[in-house]
Amino acid sequence: TVRFGLTVGLGLSICALLGGVYLGSRSRSALDDSTGILDGVAPLGLIAAMLTVAPLFSPQFAVWLLPFAAIAWCERERDLAACTFFVTTLSALLLGRIEELKNGGAVEMAVVVTRNAMVVVLLILAFTRLVQWARSDLPNVTPPAGLDADGPTVSVPAGTMV
């Protein structure tokens, strides 16, 4: 039954990965302000998906989340950054209490369960945000004067060869 659960988890992780790639690769306008989504939220979600089903979650693996959490913070995705803070803090606590964890200490096991639950929360938050972004309409933005969909407009005097 454990093998079946891991297989299902791996399948769901692959589906999440493919969904994240699809959502991140959607053709969007250059006027769309999606830097935080593509550079911060999508990688957080994909790393969280991998950590959720990984057979080993060493405390050092949480460090993979930090650069993308910093981007998410700067792009006002504060809930994702805060969730990442809790995951990395709990992982750091575990690293400091590795002996007690190896011996099956109750407090350390509770920290492991809490950290793993926070990774699942991070995954849900990230993919919820990605889906919201993917479904959102682009804002009605008027290009600056002299710009159109084909680039800058240049007026050429009549009779001039281009």
Side-chain angles (χ1 to χ4, degrees):
T1 59
V2 171
R3 178 174 265 184
F4 176 75
L6 289 174
T7 303
V8 169
L10 179 61
L12 291 173
S13 178
I14 290 170
C15 289
L17 174 67
L18 293 175
V21 169
Y22 168 75
L23 292 174
S25 67
R26 287 190 52 208
S27 175
R28 301 290 286 217
S29 165
L31 298 173
D32 181 21
D33 185 22
S34 59
T35 304
I37 293 293
L38 298 179
D39 295 342
V41 177
L44 276 175
L46 295 175
I47 294 169
M50 190 275 308
L51 291 175
T52 300
V53 297
L56 176 66
F57 186 162
S58 177
Q60 296 89 330
F61 294 170
V63 173
W64 298 342
L65 298 166
L66 292 176
F68 306 109
I71 294 168
W73 179 270
C74 291
E75 295 294 328
R76 294 184 184 91
E77 298 289 343
R78 304 294 164 96
D79 52 347
L80 292 165
C83 194
T84 302
F85 169 77
F86 286 114
V87 169
T88 55
T89 301
L90 292 174
S91 293
L93 287 173
L94 289 172
L95 191 59
R97 302 192 50 86
I98 198 76
E99 278 302 315
E100 292 82 358
L101 180 61
K102 286 195 303 189
N103 294 329
V107 171
E108 290 74 23
M109 295 306 280
V111 172
V112 167
V113 170
T114 304
R115 182 215 41 209
N116 292 352
M118 291 301 295
V119 171
V120 172
V121 169
L122 177 63
L123 173 64
I124 292 168
L125 287 173
F127 276 94
T128 300
R129 183 66 183 97
L130 281 170
V131 169
Q132 289 171 348
W133 171 77
R135 290 183 176 174
S136 68
D137 292 328
L138 292 175
N140 291 329
V141 178
T142 306
L147 289 180
D148 61 13
D150 298 324
T153 54
V154 179
S155 55
V156 179
T160 306
M161 296 196 61
V162 181

Coordinates of all heavy atoms in Angstrom, one line a residue, residues 84-156:
T84 N 6.9 29.7 3.0 CA 8.2 29.3 2.8 C 9.1 29.5 4.0 O 9.9 28.7 4.4 CB 8.8 29.9 1.6 OG1 8.0 29.7 0.4 CG2 10.2 29.4 1.3
F85 N 8.9 30.7 4.7 CA 9.7 31.0 5.9 C 9.4 29.9 6.9 O 10.4 29.4 7.6 CB 9.2 32.4 6.4 CG 9.7 32.6 7.8 CD1 11.1 33.0 8.0 CD2 8.9 32.5 8.9 CE1 11.5 33.3 9.3 CE2 9.4 32.8 10.2 CZ 10.7 33.1 10.4
F86 N 8.2 29.5 7.1 CA 7.9 28.5 8.1 C 8.5 27.1 7.7 O 9.0 26.4 8.6 CB 6.4 28.3 8.3 CG 5.8 29.5 9.1 CD1 4.9 30.3 8.5 CD2 6.1 29.7 10.4 CE1 4.4 31.4 9.2 CE2 5.6 30.7 11.2 CZ 4.7 31.6 10.5
V87 N 8.4 26.8 6.5 CA 9.0 25.5 6.0 C 10.5 25.5 6.3 O 11.1 24.5 6.8 CB 8.7 25.2 4.5 CG1 9.6 24.1 4.0 CG2 7.3 25.0 4.3
T88 N 11.2 26.6 5.9 CA 12.7 26.6 6.1 C 13.1 26.7 7.6 O 14.1 26.1 8.0 CB 13.3 27.8 5.3 OG1 12.7 29.0 5.6 CG2 13.1 27.5 3.8
T89 N 12.3 27.4 8.3 CA 12.6 27.6 9.8 C 12.4 26.2 10.5 O 13.3 25.8 11.3 CB 11.7 28.6 10.4 OG1 11.9 29.9 9.8 CG2 12.0 28.7 11.9
L90 N 11.3 25.5 10.2 CA 11.1 24.2 10.8 C 12.2 23.2 10.3 O 12.7 22.4 11.1 CB 9.7 23.7 10.4 CG 8.6 24.5 11.0 CD1 7.2 23.9 10.5 CD2 8.6 24.4 12.6
S91 N 12.6 23.3 9.1 CA 13.7 22.5 8.6 C 15.0 22.8 9.3 O 15.8 21.8 9.6 CB 13.9 22.6 7.1 OG 12.7 22.1 6.4
A92 N 15.3 24.0 9.6 CA 16.5 24.4 10.3 C 16.4 23.9 11.7 O 17.5 23.4 12.3 CB 16.7 25.9 10.3
L93 N 15.3 23.9 12.3 CA 15.1 23.4 13.7 C 15.4 21.9 13.7 O 16.1 21.4 14.6 CB 13.7 23.6 14.2 CG 13.4 25.0 14.6 CD1 11.9 25.2 14.9 CD2 14.2 25.5 15.8
L94 N 15.0 21.2 12.7 CA 15.2 19.8 12.6 C 16.7 19.5 12.4 O 17.2 18.5 12.9 CB 14.4 19.1 11.4 CG 12.9 19.1 11.6 CD1 12.3 18.6 10.3 CD2 12.6 18.1 12.7
L95 N 17.4 20.3 11.6 CA 18.8 20.1 11.4 C 19.6 20.2 12.7 O 20.5 19.5 13.0 CB 19.3 21.1 10.4 CG 20.7 20.9 9.9 CD1 20.8 19.5 9.2 CD2 21.1 22.0 8.9
G96 N 19.1 21.1 13.6 CA 19.8 21.3 14.9 C 19.5 20.2 15.9 O 20.2 20.0 16.9
R97 N 18.4 19.4 15.6 CA 18.0 18.4 16.5 C 18.0 17.0 15.8 O 17.2 16.2 16.1 CB 16.6 18.7 17.1 CG 16.6 20.0 17.8 CD 15.4 20.3 18.7 NE 15.0 19.2 19.6 CZ 15.5 19.1 20.8 NH1 16.4 19.9 21.3 NH2 15.0 18.1 21.6
I98 N 19.0 16.8 15.0 CA 19.0 15.6 14.1 C 19.2 14.3 15.0 O 18.6 13.3 14.6 CB 20.1 15.7 13.1 CG1 19.9 14.7 12.0 CG2 21.5 15.6 13.7 CD1 18.9 15.1 11.0
E99 N 19.9 14.4 16.1 CA 20.1 13.2 16.9 C 18.7 12.8 17.5 O 18.4 11.6 17.5 CB 21.1 13.4 18.0 CG 22.5 13.3 17.6 CD 22.9 11.9 17.0 OE1 22.4 10.9 17.6 OE2 23.5 11.8 15.9
E100 N 18.0 13.7 18.0 CA 16.7 13.4 18.6 C 15.8 12.9 17.6 O 14.9 12.1 17.8 CB 16.2 14.7 19.3 CG 16.9 15.1 20.6 CD 18.2 16.0 20.3 OE1 18.5 16.2 19.1 OE2 18.8 16.4 21.2
L101 N 15.9 13.5 16.4 CA 15.0 13.0 15.3 C 15.3 11.6 14.9 O 14.4 10.8 14.7 CB 15.1 14.0 14.1 CG 14.3 13.7 12.8 CD1 12.8 13.7 13.2 CD2 14.6 14.6 11.7
K102 N 16.6 11.3 14.8 CA 17.0 9.9 14.5 C 16.5 8.9 15.5 O 16.2 7.8 15.2 CB 18.5 9.8 14.3 CG 19.0 10.4 13.1 CD 20.4 10.0 12.7 CE 21.4 10.3 13.8 NZ 22.8 10.1 13.4
N103 N 16.4 9.3 16.8 CA 15.9 8.5 17.8 C 14.4 8.5 18.0 O 13.8 7.9 18.9 CB 16.5 8.9 19.2 CG 18.0 8.6 19.2 OD1 18.5 7.7 18.5 ND2 18.8 9.5 19.9
G104 N 13.7 9.2 17.1 CA 12.2 9.2 17.1 C 11.6 10.1 18.2 O 10.5 9.7 18.7
G105 N 12.2 11.2 18.5 CA 11.7 12.1 19.5 C 10.3 12.6 19.1 O 10.1 13.0 17.9
A106 N 9.4 12.6 20.1 CA 8.0 13.0 19.8 C 7.9 14.5 19.3 O 7.2 14.8 18.3 CB 7.2 12.9 21.0
V107 N 8.7 15.4 19.9 CA 8.7 16.8 19.5 C 9.2 16.9 18.1 O 8.6 17.6 17.2 CB 9.5 17.7 20.5 CG1 9.6 19.1 20.0 CG2 8.8 17.7 21.8
E108 N 10.3 16.3 17.8 CA 10.9 16.3 16.5 C 10.0 15.7 15.4 O 9.9 16.3 14.3 CB 12.3 15.6 16.5 CG 13.3 16.4 17.3 CD 13.2 16.2 18.8 OE1 12.5 15.3 19.2 OE2 13.7 17.1 19.5
M109 N 9.3 14.7 15.7 CA 8.4 14.1 14.8 C 7.2 15.0 14.5 O 6.7 15.1 13.4 CB 7.9 12.7 15.3 CG 9.0 11.7 15.4 SD 9.9 11.5 13.8 CE 8.8 10.4 12.9
A110 N 6.8 15.7 15.5 CA 5.7 16.7 15.3 C 6.2 17.8 14.4 O 5.4 18.3 13.6 CB 5.2 17.2 16.7
V111 N 7.4 18.2 14.6 CA 8.0 19.3 13.7 C 8.0 18.8 12.3 O 7.7 19.5 11.3 CB 9.4 19.7 14.2 CG1 10.0 20.7 13.2 CG2 9.2 20.4 15.6
V112 N 8.4 17.5 12.1 CA 8.5 16.9 10.7 C 7.1 17.0 10.1 O 6.9 17.4 8.9 CB 9.0 15.5 10.7 CG1 8.8 14.8 9.4 CG2 10.5 15.5 11.0
V113 N 6.1 16.5 10.8 CA 4.7 16.5 10.3 C 4.2 17.9 10.0 O 3.6 18.2 9.0 CB 3.8 15.8 11.3 CG1 2.3 16.0 10.9 CG2 4.1 14.3 11.4
T114 N 4.5 18.9 10.9 CA 4.1 20.2 10.7 C 4.8 20.8 9.4 O 4.2 21.5 8.6 CB 4.4 21.1 11.9 OG1 3.8 20.5 13.0 CG2 3.9 22.5 11.7
R115 N 6.1 20.6 9.3 CA 6.8 21.1 8.1 C 6.3 20.5 6.9 O 6.1 21.2 5.9 CB 8.3 20.7 8.3 CG 9.1 21.3 7.1 CD 10.3 20.5 6.6 NE 10.1 19.1 6.5 CZ 11.1 18.2 6.7 NH1 12.3 18.6 6.9 NH2 10.9 16.9 6.6
N116 N 6.0 19.2 6.9 CA 5.5 18.5 5.7 C 4.1 19.1 5.3 O 3.8 19.3 4.1 CB 5.5 17.0 5.8 CG 6.9 16.5 5.9 OD1 7.9 17.1 5.6 ND2 7.0 15.2 6.2
A117 N 3.3 19.3 6.3 CA 2.0 19.9 6.1 C 2.1 21.3 5.5 O 1.4 21.7 4.6 CB 1.2 20.0 7.4
M118 N 3.1 22.1 6.0 CA 3.3 23.4 5.4 C 3.8 23.4 4.0 O 3.5 24.3 3.2 CB 4.3 24.2 6.3 CG 3.8 24.6 7.7 SD 2.3 25.6 7.6 CE 2.9 27.1 6.9
V119 N 4.5 22.4 3.6 CA 4.9 22.2 2.2 C 3.7 22.0 1.3 O 3.6 22.5 0.2 CB 6.0 21.1 2.0 CG1 6.2 20.8 0.6 CG2 7.3 21.5 2.7
V120 N 2.8 21.2 1.8 CA 1.5 20.9 1.1 C 0.7 22.2 1.0 O 0.2 22.5 -0.1 CB 0.7 19.8 1.8 CG1 -0.7 19.7 1.1 CG2 1.4 18.5 1.7
V121 N 0.7 23.0 2.1 CA 0.0 24.3 2.0 C 0.6 25.2 1.0 O 0.0 25.9 0.2 CB -0.1 24.9 3.4 CG1 -0.5 26.4 3.3 CG2 -0.9 24.1 4.4
L122 N 2.0 25.2 1.0 CA 2.7 26.0 0.0 C 2.4 25.6 -1.4 O 2.1 26.4 -2.3 CB 4.2 25.9 0.3 CG 5.1 26.6 -0.7 CD1 4.9 28.1 -0.7 CD2 6.6 26.3 -0.4
L123 N 2.3 24.3 -1.6 CA 1.9 23.8 -3.0 C 0.5 24.2 -3.4 O 0.3 24.7 -4.5 CB 2.0 22.3 -2.9 CG 1.5 21.5 -4.2 CD1 2.4 21.8 -5.4 CD2 1.5 20.0 -3.9
I124 N -0.4 24.1 -2.5 CA -1.8 24.5 -2.8 C -1.9 26.0 -3.0 O -2.5 26.5 -4.0 CB -2.7 24.1 -1.6 CG1 -2.8 22.6 -1.6 CG2 -4.1 24.8 -1.7 CD1 -3.5 22.1 -0.3
L125 N -1.2 26.8 -2.2 CA -1.2 28.3 -2.4 C -0.6 28.7 -3.8 O -1.1 29.5 -4.5 CB -0.5 29.0 -1.3 CG -1.1 29.1 0.1 CD1 -0.1 29.7 1.1 CD2 -2.4 29.9 0.0
A126 N 0.5 28.1 -4.1 CA 1.2 28.4 -5.3 C 0.3 28.0 -6.5 O 0.2 28.8 -7.5 CB 2.6 27.7 -5.4
F127 N -0.2 26.8 -6.5 CA -1.0 26.4 -7.7 C -2.3 27.2 -7.8 O -2.8 27.5 -8.9 CB -1.2 24.9 -7.8 CG 0.0 24.3 -8.4 CD1 1.1 23.8 -7.7 CD2 0.1 24.2 -9.8 CE1 2.2 23.3 -8.2 CE2 1.3 23.7 -10.4 CZ 2.3 23.2 -9.6
T128 N -2.9 27.5 -6.6 CA -4.1 28.4 -6.7 C -3.8 29.7 -7.3 O -4.5 30.2 -8.1 CB -4.6 28.6 -5.2 OG1 -4.9 27.3 -4.7 CG2 -5.9 29.5 -5.2
R129 N -2.6 30.3 -6.9 CA -2.2 31.6 -7.5 C -1.9 31.5 -9.0 O -2.3 32.4 -9.7 CB -1.0 32.1 -6.7 CG -0.6 33.5 -7.1 CD -1.6 34.6 -6.8 NE -1.1 35.8 -7.3 CZ -1.5 36.3 -8.5 NH1 -2.3 35.7 -9.3 NH2 -1.0 37.5 -8.9
L130 N -1.3 30.4 -9.4 CA -1.0 30.2 -10.8 C -2.3 30.0 -11.6 O -2.5 30.6 -12.7 CB -0.2 28.9 -11.0 CG 1.3 29.1 -10.8 CD1 2.0 27.7 -10.7 CD2 1.9 30.0 -11.8
V131 N -3.3 29.3 -11.1 CA -4.6 29.2 -11.8 C -5.3 30.5 -11.9 O -5.9 30.9 -12.9 CB -5.4 28.1 -11.1 CG1 -6.9 28.1 -11.6 CG2 -4.8 26.7 -11.3
Q132 N -5.3 31.3 -10.8 CA -5.9 32.6 -10.8 C -5.2 33.5 -11.9 O -5.9 34.2 -12.6 CB -5.8 33.3 -9.4 CG -6.6 32.7 -8.4 CD -6.3 33.3 -7.0 OE1 -5.3 34.0 -6.8 NE2 -7.1 33.1 -6.0
W133 N -3.9 33.4 -12.0 CA -3.2 34.2 -13.0 C -3.6 33.7 -14.4 O -3.8 34.6 -15.3 CB -1.7 34.1 -12.7 CG -0.9 34.7 -13.8 CD1 -0.7 36.0 -14.1 CD2 -0.2 34.0 -14.9 NE1 0.1 36.2 -15.2 CE2 0.4 34.9 -15.7 CE3 -0.1 32.6 -15.2 CZ2 1.2 34.6 -16.8 CZ3 0.7 32.3 -16.3 CH2 1.3 33.3 -17.1
A134 N -3.6 32.4 -14.6 CA -3.9 31.9 -15.9 C -5.3 32.3 -16.4 O -5.5 32.5 -17.6 CB -3.7 30.4 -15.9
R135 N -6.2 32.4 -15.4 CA -7.6 32.7 -15.8 C -7.9 34.2 -15.9 O -8.9 34.6 -16.4 CB -8.6 32.1 -14.8 CG -8.6 30.6 -14.9 CD -9.6 30.0 -13.9 NE -9.7 28.6 -14.1 CZ -10.4 27.8 -13.3 NH1 -11.1 28.4 -12.3 NH2 -10.5 26.5 -13.5
S136 N -7.0 35.0 -15.4 CA -7.2 36.4 -15.4 C -7.1 37.0 -16.8 O -6.3 36.5 -17.6 CB -6.3 37.1 -14.4 OG -5.0 37.1 -14.9
D137 N -7.9 38.0 -17.0 CA -7.8 38.8 -18.2 C -6.6 39.8 -18.1 O -6.4 40.3 -17.1 CB -9.1 39.5 -18.6 CG -10.2 38.5 -18.9 OD1 -9.9 37.4 -19.4 OD2 -11.3 38.8 -18.5
L138 N -6.0 40.0 -19.2 CA -5.0 41.1 -19.2 C -5.7 42.4 -19.0 O -6.8 42.7 -19.5 CB -4.3 41.1 -20.6 CG -3.4 39.9 -20.9 CD1 -2.9 39.9 -22.3 CD2 -2.3 39.8 -19.9
P139 N -5.0 43.3 -18.3 CA -5.6 44.6 -18.1 C -5.7 45.4 -19.4 O -4.9 45.1 -20.3 CB -4.6 45.3 -17.1 CG -3.3 44.5 -17.3 CD -3.7 43.1 -17.7
N140 N -6.6 46.2 -19.4 CA -6.8 47.1 -20.6 C -5.7 48.2 -20.5 O -5.8 49.1 -19.7 CB -8.2 47.7 -20.7 CG -9.2 46.7 -21.0 OD1 -8.9 45.7 -21.7 ND2 -10.4 46.9 -20.5
V141 N -4.7 48.0 -21.3 CA -3.5 49.0 -21.2 C -3.4 49.6 -22.6 O -3.4 48.9 -23.6 CB -2.2 48.2 -20.9 CG1 -1.1 49.2 -20.9 CG2 -2.3 47.6 -19.5
T142 N -3.4 50.9 -22.6 CA -3.2 51.6 -23.9 C -1.7 51.8 -24.1 O -1.1 52.4 -23.2 CB -3.9 52.9 -23.8 OG1 -5.3 52.7 -23.5 CG2 -3.9 53.7 -25.2
P143 N -1.2 51.4 -25.3 CA 0.2 51.6 -25.5 C 0.5 53.1 -25.6 O -0.3 53.9 -25.9 CB 0.5 50.9 -26.9 CG -0.8 50.1 -27.2 CD -1.9 50.7 -26.3
P144 N 1.8 53.4 -25.2 CA 2.2 54.9 -25.3 C 2.0 55.4 -26.8 O 2.0 54.6 -27.7 CB 3.6 54.8 -24.9 CG 3.8 53.6 -24.2 CD 2.8 52.6 -24.7
A145 N 1.9 56.7 -26.9 CA 1.8 57.3 -28.2 C 2.9 56.9 -29.1 O 4.1 56.8 -28.7 CB 1.7 58.8 -28.1
G146 N 2.6 56.5 -30.3 CA 3.6 56.2 -31.3 C 3.9 54.7 -31.3 O 4.7 54.2 -32.1
L147 N 3.3 53.9 -30.4 CA 3.5 52.5 -30.4 C 2.2 51.8 -30.8 O 1.1 52.2 -30.4 CB 3.9 52.0 -29.0 CG 5.3 52.3 -28.6 CD1 5.6 51.7 -27.2 CD2 6.3 51.8 -29.5
D148 N 2.3 50.8 -31.6 CA 1.1 49.9 -31.8 C 1.6 48.5 -31.7 O 2.7 48.2 -31.3 CB 0.5 50.2 -33.2 CG 1.4 50.0 -34.4 OD1 2.5 49.4 -34.2 OD2 1.1 50.4 -35.5
A149 N 0.7 47.6 -32.1 CA 1.0 46.1 -32.0 C 2.2 45.7 -32.8 O 2.9 44.7 -32.5 CB -0.2 45.3 -32.3
D150 N 2.5 46.5 -33.9 CA 3.6 46.1 -34.7 C 4.9 46.8 -34.4 O 5.9 46.6 -35.0 CB 3.3 46.4 -36.2 CG 2.1 45.6 -36.7 OD1 1.9 44.5 -36.2 OD2 1.3 46.2 -37.4
G151 N 4.9 47.6 -33.4 CA 6.1 48.4 -33.0 C 5.9 49.9 -33.2 O 4.8 50.3 -33.4
P152 N 7.0 50.6 -33.1 CA 6.9 52.1 -33.3 C 6.5 52.5 -34.7 O 6.8 51.8 -35.6 CB 8.3 52.6 -33.0 CG 9.2 51.4 -32.8 CD 8.4 50.2 -32.9
T153 N 5.7 53.5 -34.7 CA 5.2 54.0 -36.0 C 6.2 55.1 -36.4 O 6.5 56.0 -35.6 CB 3.8 54.5 -35.9 OG1 3.7 55.5 -34.9 CG2 2.8 53.4 -35.7
V154 N 6.5 55.1 -37.6 CA 7.4 56.1 -38.2 C 6.8 56.8 -39.4 O 6.3 56.1 -40.2 CB 8.8 55.5 -38.6 CG1 9.7 56.6 -39.1 CG2 9.4 54.8 -37.4
S155 N 6.7 58.1 -39.4 CA 6.1 58.8 -40.5 C 7.2 59.0 -41.6 O 8.3 59.5 -41.3 CB 5.5 60.1 -40.1 OG 6.4 60.9 -39.4
V156 N 6.9 58.6 -42.8 CA 7.8 58.7 -43.9 C 7.2 59.7 -44.9 O 6.1 59.5 -45.3 CB 8.1 57.4 -44.5 CG1 9.1 57.5 -45.7 CG2 8.7 56.4 -43.5

